Amino acid sequence: AQSVTQLDSQVPVFEEAPVELRCNYSSSVSVYLFWYVQYPNQGLQLLLKYLSGSTLVESINGFEAEFNKSQTSFHLRKPSVHISDTAEYFCAVSQRGTYKYIFGTGTRLKVLA
Amino acid sequence: DGGITQSPKYLFRKEGQNVTLSCEQNLNHDAMYWYRQDPGQGLRLIYYSQIVNDFQKGDIAEGYSVSREKKESFPLTVTSAQKNPTAFYLCASSIDQTGGEFYGYTFGSGTRLTVV
């Protein structure tokens, strides 16, 4: 069965420090991988996605994620966070051809001044 | 600007009442989805629709009903049979189901339902 695990429910980090939000998945077939961000009382916004090709994908606001097939991971990283990055981040997996997402339980990133 | 509008933003329901959450999109998307979000549980799929006049149950459909009479609209009714309806409800859409895989979903800003 397909599943997504976000190991950390909360991650506090000081402003301008690096951060990594972890995501592992299990699937017996090929998948597409996504990271979404949710600000308080808002819907989710697509941050970045991996479909194929280069295993390192980047967003416009400095986040990046690397697909690691052998470790079945898709960790999200940013070298220097800002206060405005405080939000909840969701990893999602779509098993190719099923048209269905499985979401992780989310990681709440809190950036401290 | 194109997007998804959910209303109301906050909704209070008394025990035994049915309530309907509105979801309207002007993106010309074929596929629409309803998710329920509870703290620490991520998002769970309630219903989805690939095309007008057709919809399928998701993982937690019991106690909910939907309709898809127009492409733009996908309202969700939370019935009295739903025993624990207090949650944040999110509506989403994608070009079609295949497009959802490739391009991701567009989400509305959510409705917070509270039972009083």
Side-chain angles (χ1 to χ4, degrees):
Chain A
Q2 191 178 355
S3 67
V4 178
T5 301
Q6 291 184 247
L7 296 167
D8 305 301
S9 59
Q10 293 188 65
V11 174
V13 62
F14 285 104
E15 194 173 18
E16 298 184 6
V19 70
E20 180 180 79
L21 306 182
R22 296 180 291 172
C23 173
N24 288 88
Y25 70 93
S26 65
S27 177
S28 57
V29 298
S30 296
V31 297
Y32 300 125
L33 298 157
F34 303 82
W35 276 100
Y36 285 83
V37 59
Q38 183 181 35
Y39 299 101
N41 292 313
Q42 295 292 319
L44 278 67
Q45 301 171 33
L46 181 63
L47 189 60
L48 48 74
K49 61 188 176 189
Y50 171 78
L51 303 180
S52 64
S54 172
T55 57
L56 185 65
V57 291
E58 298 177 352
S59 72
I60 58 173
N61 57 354
F63 281 94
E64 63 180 31
E66 186 162 19
F67 170 55
N68 188 318
K69 188 174 181 179
S70 62
Q71 298 186 5
T72 61
S73 68
F74 190 55
H75 301 332
L76 182 69
R77 297 189 293 259
K78 189 171 186 180
S80 176
V81 295
H82 301 282
I83 295 288
S84 59
D85 293 324
T86 295
E88 190 156 19
Y89 293 79
F90 289 91
C91 182
V93 171
S94 175
Q95 191 169 334
R96 295 188 185 190
T98 65
Y99 315 123
K100 188 176 171 181
Y101 275 29
I102 301 295
F103 285 90
T105 52
T107 296
R108 197 174 297 273
L109 173 65
K110 185 170 178 61
V111 181
L112 308 169
Chain B
D1 288 338
I4 296 181
T5 301
Q6 289 188 243
S7 62
K9 193 169 180 65
Y10 298 96
L11 185 58
F12 297 90
R13 190 194 93 167
K14 292 183 180 179
E15 295 279 354
Q17 275 187 338
N18 293 354
V19 291
T20 297
L21 284 59
S22 171
C23 177
E24 303 277 334
Q25 55 100 356
N26 61 1
L27 299 164
N28 201 33
H29 284 176
D30 282 323
M32 297 187 74
Y33 313 83
W34 273 105
Y35 283 90
R36 171 179 170 141
Q37 184 178 15
D38 296 281
Q41 294 193 47
L43 279 71
R44 293 180 290 169
L45 183 64
I46 305 173
Y47 268 98
Y48 64 101
S49 168
Q50 302 175 52
I51 199 167
V52 174
N53 292 323
D54 185 53
F55 48 83
Q56 286 80 41
K57 293 182 179 180
D59 300 317
I60 57 164
E62 185 175 351
Y64 300 97
S65 66
V66 294
S67 63
R68 187 86 186 275
E69 297 176 0
K70 297 186 302 182
K71 186 175 184 176
E72 302 80 18
S73 179
F74 191 41
L76 173 74
T77 296
V78 184
T79 74
S80 57
Q82 170 50 239
K83 297 306 178 189
N84 184 23
T86 294
F88 191 51
Y89 291 87
L90 288 163
C91 180
S93 72
S94 62
I95 295 173
D96 51 32
Q97 283 202 305
T98 302
E101 283 196 341
F102 285 105
Y103 305 115
Y105 292 174
T106 300
F107 282 84
S109 57
T111 292
R112 189 167 298 281
L113 174 63
T114 303
V115 174
V116 296

